[in-house]
Amino acid sequence: MIKHMQSVNIIVGSQMGSAEYVAEQLAEALEQQGIQVQLHEQPVFDDIDQQDTIWLMCTSTYGAGDYPENLLPFVESINQQADLKGLNYSVIGLGDTSYDTYNYAGRNLDELFASKGASRVAERLELNILDEALPEDTALAWLPSWIESVGLN
């Protein structure tokens, strides 16, 4: 359990809008529970608070396993960081299981943050856009267990 988490910074990597929509739905649901949320649709590493917060990265995979274009400068900034100890994060990845590179952006982002010493506070959620349920519905169903597991309730 993480102590003193006050807020969630949702960092969006979206090429076609699906991950952005999921992130917006999650932000709204968190706010309805009295949790402070900041949504970063054009994330800039230095502009995002790292103290007393959880970074919830919500990204789709684009092309052949790539990050969405809006996330590239952010990922480059992370690559330049020597140490992210003290940063708490979770990842939601959206992908299409008909591709060999299913959810590579989410998986690679998760590995990148872990390699920099950041603390993964919950297992990565992988959403298959081919599932019968809409990605945002699956994410909203997952949210209460995530809130509890990271100690925001």
Side-chain angles (χ1 to χ4, degrees):
M1 171 111 40
I2 299 147
K3 295 180 180 173
H4 310 301
M5 285 299 136
Q6 306 301 325
S7 67
V8 177
N9 280 281
I10 300 178
I11 296 155
V12 181
S14 189
Q15 194 74 31
M16 308 300 258
S18 296
E20 186 177 354
Y21 189 69
V22 169
E24 289 168 354
Q25 295 292 304
L26 291 173
E28 192 175 298
L30 287 163
E31 286 171 344
Q32 287 173 353
Q33 296 192 41
I35 297 167
Q36 184 183 346
V37 177
Q38 278 196 297
L39 195 61
H40 304 274
E41 293 172 346
Q42 295 295 324
V44 176
F45 177 80
D46 291 332
D47 294 349
I48 305 172
D49 184 30
Q50 296 183 37
Q51 300 301 312
D52 299 325
T53 188
I54 297 171
W55 286 17
L56 179 57
M57 266 109 20
C58 184
T59 186
S60 60
T61 297
Y62 183 65
D66 300 320
Y67 293 112
E69 287 177 22
N70 76 306
L71 204 57
L72 291 173
F74 175 78
V75 170
E76 185 55 36
S77 294
I78 299 302
N79 277 316
Q80 294 173 9
Q81 302 302 310
D83 183 5
L84 292 177
K85 282 187 175 59
L87 176 64
N88 296 295
Y89 78 95
S90 288
V91 175
I92 297 174
L94 283 80
D96 178 333
T97 52
S98 68
Y99 287 87
D100 292 342
T101 55
Y102 171 67
N103 246 316
Y104 271 28
R107 293 173 185 181
N108 291 336
L109 198 59
D110 196 355
E111 287 176 21
L112 175 60
F113 270 79
S115 74
K116 297 290 183 176
S119 298
R120 181 187 303 117
V121 295
E123 287 302 309
R124 180 178 59 250
L125 175 64
E126 294 190 350
L127 301 172
N128 178 10
I129 62 163
L130 299 180
D131 282 348
E132 216 170 277
L134 294 171
E136 59 271 18
D137 292 344
T138 304
L140 288 169
W142 161 88
L143 190 61
S145 65
W146 182 80
I147 290 170
E148 188 172 328
S149 70
V150 301
L152 282 167
N153 55 349

